[in-house]
Amino acid sequence: MGHVNLPASKRVGGTRQWRVLDLVSAAFFGLVFLFFVLVFTPMGDSLAASGRQTLLLSDADPRQRLREAAAIEAGQPRVVEACPADAADHMPCEDPRRNSQLSREMNYYRERHCPPLEHTPLCLIPPPTGYRISVQWPQSLHKIWHSNMPYNKIAHRKGHQGWMKLEGPHFIFPGGGTMFPDGAEQYIEKLGQYIPMNGGVLRTALDMGCGVASFGGYLLAQNILTMSFAPRDSHKSQIQFALERGIPAFVAMLGTRRLPFPAFGFDLVHCSRCLIPFTAYNATYFIEVDRLLRPGGYLVISGPPVQWPKQDKEWSDLQAVARALCYELIAVDGNTVIWKKPSVETCLPNQNEFGLDLCDDSDNPSFAWYFKLKKCVTKVSSVKGEYAIGMIPKWPERLTAPPPRSTILKNDADVYEADTKRWVRRVAHYKISLKIKLGTPAVRNVMDMNAFFGGFAAALNSDPVWVMNVVPAHKASTLDAIFDRGLIGVYHDWCEPFSTYPRTYDLIHATSIESLIKDPASGKNRCNLVDLMVELDRILRPEGTVVVRDTPEVIEKVARVARAVRWRPTIYDKEPESHGREKILVATKTFWKL
């Protein structure tokens, strides 16, 4: 066929026209690609977080910051300024912008990495625009305000699996999950065919890679208290959603360090598509799960690699590790496997392809604050006491029975009993005389910053609350006794920020608050009270309550700082039956906005 001959000027013009269209099309498709990268990939989250967190790195003179804190403690009229609006979800130790520069090996970059306090601004985290007082428990299990965390990513990506969906001003939680889209209740009922899910045999559970924690939320009906954890990742704010729902949860990553829990604390460990490579690095992650799982406890893994397409080797390796540790295979039901840990000493040493062997006698398996993962298996005999499933009392008897591991003090049984009675009196005083809203729907998420044996939490057992029992890392290690009682908690150093999102606790309780920042050997402060209380303000919900017990001198200092962080403090006398020089400060966080 012949070609149409156009004038030269038109041919040139046509070429120029097509070049312009090409440029426009390329720009359009480039913008579409960038949109998908920013909205639907982890890179987008990282970049967005980077922009937010940049504002929270301070180049101000550290000496000026120190002088400002000292002036506040001294009672000079100061009000701590607000952080920028973009900092509404700031987590100092889980900063994607800073952590993205760290090693990817074993997910080191997704663990907590805290900046020096002198490099962070002294400011109060504001609530997001449109924030409302949280929906109260138990309604919050099923719905929360969208405006309190207006992040639609999980609803868009996981709504078809029953995680959550947006309805009007609320996020609704149908109770589903990736491996149980028909609901956690049906899934728990299925597990109950193989595991004693009721009757008090099991009490403490760990849910790894928990999503929005519906599994833990619905286990509460079985009187099983679950610590749900997940990292800060591309599934925007999953732990923040869990805590807003009133479900126990914590930001953590199984990477290069032990998780901040004691040995043999959990009766049940659960992974539903958590995608933890249990057999990688010579089964190091399976070994960490074994450290945490109580003898006689149950391990449930649902999802890859259990009978999963194209993961035959991974599934075979997982079974080989369980056999090497003498775990009893209870069931393989579809893509779910259930093992039971032996109640007595493991059958190691034996011939196994992973080179697994027992830790030596020098290992303290409950050291878990910034403690590197070990490639050896914890001996059951390394921890004294009858604490295996079947030996430890059933719930609720185990709450009041002397914990088998409360042996760190002389006359520990007497100390434990006295501590339990003391907290029953104190909590009654809080409710009756101080009118603290414990026992009402206004208080659901509670933290005890200096938990000792968990007496405060035990005294709240009949209330509709859960308590995060924090045992300071530099104090006596009593967290194992807390877990033996059927309570949950973590190790933490209060000179660092806590691994949670802003606005997650209704009530924070502290006994001997000054001891949390002092060096036990020298008696000198390791950090200052102002930074600690600014951190408490970050994690406390608007209109939330702080209760502090300490000497009158310390309480006066706390009251001065409380006013500087915009709380309303009131000082009370201790209960009549108590000895010592204590005073009690009760402060309310004001609901301020930018």
Side-chain angles (χ1 to χ4, degrees), residues 137-144 171-175 218 245:
W137 181 265
Q139 289 77 21
S140 62
L141 178 64
H142 308 290
K143 68 177 183 180
I144 64 171
F171 278 121
I172 305 298
F173 298 87
Y218 283 91
R245 297 175 70 189

Side-chain angles (χ1 to χ4, degrees), residues 48-57 86-87 89-92 94-98 232:
S50 171
R52 289 194 303 271
Q53 306 298 342
T54 300
L55 296 171
L56 292 183
L57 288 178
D86 287 347
D89 294 320
H90 179 54
M91 298 176 64
E94 287 82 11
D95 179 351
R97 185 198 61 81
R98 185 179 65 256
R232 181 172 188 166

